[in-house]
Amino acid sequence: MTNPTLLVIEDDTVLNRLLVGELKQSGFAAHGSYNWTDGRSAIDRLAPELVLLDVHLPDANGLDILAEIGDSRLVVMLTANASLHQAVEAMRMGAADYLAKPVNLDELELIIRRALENRRLSAEHECRRSEEAMRMAGMVGVGPAMTELRLLIEAVAQTDVTVLVQGESGAGKELVAQAVHHASPRRERAFVALDCCSLQDTLFESELFGYEKGAFTGADRRKPGLIEAAAGGTLFLDEIGDIGPAIQAKLLRVLETGRFRRIGATSDMRANVRIVAATNRDLATLVRKGTFRADLYYRLNAFMLVVPPLRLRREDIPVLANYFLAARAGGRRQRLHPEAVRYLTEYGWPGNVRELRNVIERASILSGDTPVITPAHLLGLSGEMASAAVDRGNGFQFDDEPALEKIEHEYLAYLLDKYRGNRREVAKKLGVSERTCYRMAERYGLG
Ligand SMILES: Nc1ncnc2c1ncn2[C@@H]1O[C@H](COP(=O)(O)OP(=O)(O)OP(=O)(O)O)[C@@H](O)[C@H]1O
Ligand SMILES: [Mg+2]
């Protein structure tokens, strides 16, 4: 480990040199600045682990600086006895510690080491808290894509910004939405999900906004909507790309004004929800086609989280497979044969994580009491798809070594043909949802 970098910002030249010299002797990479202008640029340049900051500088006041630095845990205040009250104030603002002048050099090192240790612990704590949040949402993944996604989730979770989650079917959009909720200060309150594609416009409106008694025939009592049910928490709008123009307008109003009105009510209510929307369609394209309002798109897209398809993060496949296996196996301890792992890792996963989970669960059932899951179990499971890919049965003729996309394409065409375009049957064979089957067909121009 490299030595921690420390910065001393102190206008008393003698004291500054003394401190820097002493800290260097104690094994720190220490630097000195004599005013805040230089100190500020040194902080940017050196990114010190800790700053020793004089309460009185010629060009700024220590407490203002503390506010400007933002992360006050970075700072140990240097204070003369006369300004002890300012040190107290600094501690209240979250400063790591303070050091009284004249400085006792033994105390100096002790305080620095303690502050560094506290910083390390609190960073670890933060990290654990965030990991905890992800675990609570059950989000598995070890590769760079998931690591970055986690960081973005952590960051956006601290705000109330509207989030748009984009990704293919089964990639884990809902899980990401839950992770945002769990990592946010709203975590103790409700996470309410609404699947937008399953509802007609009128139903959607009454679900979302609620209604007053007598608002329409059948409204025999007042019913609060989901926005109210999610108060203080998170409202998850799934398949947002599917909502019609009337609802788009109503939703836009909520996002713009932060207010909504129950059906039949005479006044507005404040919407205290963080909205997370998800879609597996490309909203930008829908905007271009004119089926999705541009202004709503920009409102929703305040912060976009993209969940990459499984085939673009293959390093996560073995981890996910083992995770689903352990969850499924209960007390039994089953494991995957290396060949099975290889097969899973090479497959194209059009149904993404959901498909992987299905395959593993079925393999676990099919393998019965055998402790090791082999490719044979997987072959039986993901059915003809697997055998087509592996032994190229069913009359498939592939020249040399085709990309998985090609196998997928040809196999889909084959099944569509065999089952005379019956998507339900084909989806079943593929082990994916009907929706996914439609999308695949669309993607390969077989729709
Ligand atoms: N990173 C992950 N770790 C663990 N499980 C995951 C992960 N990603 C997805 N899953 C699981 O895969 C399944 C599909 O995930 P999810 O419902 O979040 O996908 P989706 O993108 O919302 O799909 P759809 O577009 O079909 O609604 C769920 O059972 C979910 O728990
Ligand atoms: Mg979903």
Side-chain angles (χ1 to χ4, degrees):
M1 215 181 84
T2 54
N3 297 336
T5 302
L6 306 182
L7 178 66
V8 179
I9 310 179
E10 162 66 66
D11 60 331
D12 178 335
T13 3
V14 178
L15 179 59
N16 193 323
R17 295 218 177 99
L18 175 75
L19 291 173
V20 170
E22 187 67 22
L23 290 169
K24 279 185 175 158
Q25 282 224 323
S26 308
F28 297 104
H31 305 262
S33 300
Y34 299 95
N35 55 55
W36 175 229
T37 314
D38 292 346
R40 183 197 283 127
S41 67
I43 289 178
D44 292 343
R45 197 174 61 246
L46 302 165
E49 266 88 359
L50 217 60
V51 177
L52 257 75
L53 177 67
D54 187 10
V55 171
H56 295 294
L57 287 170
D59 55 347
N61 171 299
L63 294 181
D64 295 337
I65 295 175
L66 209 53
E68 188 179 334
I69 287 180
D71 183 3
S72 47
R73 290 169 307 173
L74 190 72
V75 177
V76 171
M77 294 304 269
L78 279 168
T79 171
N81 261 333
S83 48
L84 206 57
H85 63 281
Q86 287 193 308
V88 173
E89 189 55 32
M91 295 301 288
R92 205 175 284 142
M93 284 171 72
D97 212 335
Y98 74 92
L99 202 57
K101 295 183 201 173
V103 176
N104 172 338
L105 293 179
D106 295 331
E107 202 187 21
L108 170 71
E109 190 175 342
L110 196 76
I111 283 184
I112 297 282
R113 296 225 180 263
R114 189 169 64 200
L116 285 171
E117 177 65 7
N118 284 341
R119 238 175 103 66
R120 191 180 62 76
L121 289 178
S122 89
E124 265 177 19
H125 177 73
E126 270 306 302
C127 190
R128 249 195 319 253
R129 208 179 59 76
S130 134
E131 274 174 17
E132 181 68 15
M134 302 301 161
R135 227 195 342 269
M136 270 168 67
M139 215 170 106
V140 177
V142 291
M146 285 311 261
T147 308
E148 189 188 327
L149 192 56
R150 275 202 194 91
L151 288 175
L152 292 174
I153 290 172
E154 245 312 286
V156 78
Q158 308 312 319
T159 71
D160 267 347
V161 166
T162 302
V163 177
L164 180 64
V165 188
Q166 194 137 25
E168 288 181 12
S169 181
K173 296 184 293 299
E174 177 147 10
L175 211 60
V176 165
Q178 285 166 351
V180 169
H181 176 71
H182 282 306
S184 81
R186 294 173 171 268
R187 70 180 76 87
E188 305 289 346
R189 310 299 284 274
F191 175 88
V192 175
L194 175 62
D195 186 354
C196 301
C197 80
S198 64
L199 298 171
Q200 296 161 332
D201 278 9
T202 47
L203 214 54
F204 185 98
E205 203 182 337
S206 68
E207 278 288 308
L208 197 61
F209 302 130
Y211 49 80
E212 296 292 339
K213 183 174 173 178
F216 46 82
T217 337
D220 48 5
R221 59 193 166 83
R222 139 207 279 210
K223 183 175 170 282
L226 294 181
I227 293 189
E228 283 168 80
T234 305
L235 180 64
F236 176 51
L237 301 174
D238 205 359
E239 311 292 1
I240 194 80
D242 294 350
I243 60 173
I247 293 301
Q248 288 181 27
K250 295 227 155 81
L251 200 56
L252 178 65
R253 178 162 176 270
V254 178
L255 289 172
E256 274 177 346
T257 63
R259 309 182 74 79
F260 70 100
R261 187 178 291 196
R262 283 185 186 152
I263 303 173
T266 48
S267 59
D268 286 352
M269 295 176 75
R270 205 174 76 77
N272 174 17
V273 288
R274 132 76 70 81
I275 291 180
V276 180
T279 175
N280 47 23
R281 312 176 58 174
D282 184 15
L283 286 190
T285 307
L286 297 185
V287 169
R288 243 175 283 124
K289 282 190 189 156
T291 54
F292 203 87
R293 294 177 71 122
D295 43 9
L296 179 57
Y297 171 62
Y298 292 122
R299 283 281 173 182
L300 289 171
N301 197 11
F303 195 95
M304 188 183 314
L305 290 172
V306 177
V307 192
L310 195 53
R311 65 180 173 282
L312 295 183
R313 46 180 165 111
R314 294 186 188 276
E315 64 280 5
D316 287 343
I317 294 173
V319 192
L320 280 164
N322 281 308
Y323 170 76
F324 292 134
L325 191 60
R328 161 78 229 166
R332 284 186 303 154
R333 212 174 285 150
Q334 278 196 312
R335 61 188 181 81
L336 291 157
H337 189 277
E339 265 305 296
V341 175
R342 195 179 66 82
Y343 165 67
L344 292 172
T345 314
E346 284 175 4
Y347 175 60
W349 301 113
N352 291 295
V353 184
R354 178 178 296 114
E355 186 186 5
L356 174 60
R357 202 190 65 187
N358 290 344
V359 165
I360 294 295
E361 287 181 352
R362 286 181 298 172
S364 171
I365 293 167
L366 206 92
S367 57
D369 286 337
T370 32
V372 181
I373 290 182
T374 66
H377 297 122
L378 300 172
L379 293 186
L381 293 165
S382 52
E384 295 154 81
M385 167 78 99
S387 51
V390 173
D391 69 33
R392 300 175 197 177
N394 307 313
F396 279 90
Q397 283 301 318
F398 289 116
D399 42 62
D400 57 82
E401 293 166 333
L404 278 160
E405 297 244 311
K406 178 159 187 216
I407 298 177
E408 229 171 82
H409 182 161
E410 302 226 340
Y411 184 58
L412 184 64
Y414 160 80
L415 282 183
L416 282 169
D417 189 47
K418 180 166 174 188
Y419 293 101
R420 296 172 211 288
N422 182 337
R423 301 286 161 84
R424 174 170 300 206
E425 205 54 43
V426 173
K428 232 196 283 171
K429 291 289 166 197
L430 290 172
V432 302
S433 71
E434 258 179 85
R435 293 172 69 91
T436 304
C437 184
Y438 267 94
R439 298 239 161 72
M440 283 172 71
E442 222 170 71
R443 171 147 39 102
Y444 292 123
L446 300 168

